[in-house]
Amino acid sequence: DELVLQVTAGALLEGDTVTLRCRGRRDTSVTQVRFYHEGKEHWVPAEGTELALSPLGLHHGGRYRCGGKEGMWSVWKESAPVTVTVH
């Protein structure tokens, strides 16, 4: 996987804010970012590589991944899935 989906560390509780960040494995720029929750497109940022979930609810739990283009001439790439658990 060329892209990495980073999730705020620590216990995630209802009402909190969690930020998902999609980045290149070699800190290269990532464009046209898309976030997916349980296989469905969740949110498309106008620009940038972050998705904030706030206020966090139990329905936000599950598997997330991101996709995008890394670098200037890249093809579409996706991250490995990351599980978000809300307590």
Side-chain angles (χ1 to χ4, degrees):
D1 300 311
E2 295 294 325
L3 300 182
V4 176
L5 179 58
Q6 294 178 315
V7 179
T8 306
L12 301 175
L13 305 175
E14 281 188 277
D16 286 350
T17 296
V18 65
T19 300
L20 309 180
R21 180 174 178 240
C22 192
R23 69 173 187 85
R25 189 170 292 280
R26 294 173 297 277
D27 285 328
T28 54
S29 63
V30 181
T31 59
Q32 299 179 26
V33 173
R34 305 285 187 271
F35 289 93
Y36 302 89
H37 178 223
E38 296 297 339
K40 296 180 181 176
E41 190 170 301
H42 181 69
W43 187 72
V44 181
E47 57 183 70
T49 60
E50 294 185 351
L51 167 62
L53 304 175
S54 178
L56 202 57
L58 293 176
H59 66 280
H60 287 115
R63 291 165 49 105
Y64 287 83
R65 62 185 169 82
C66 69
K69 292 190 174 187
E70 181 184 26
M72 195 169 179
W73 306 104
S74 180
V75 296
W76 185 261
K77 298 178 180 179
E78 293 186 353
S79 70
V82 172
T83 300
V84 170
T85 303
V86 181
H87 301 281

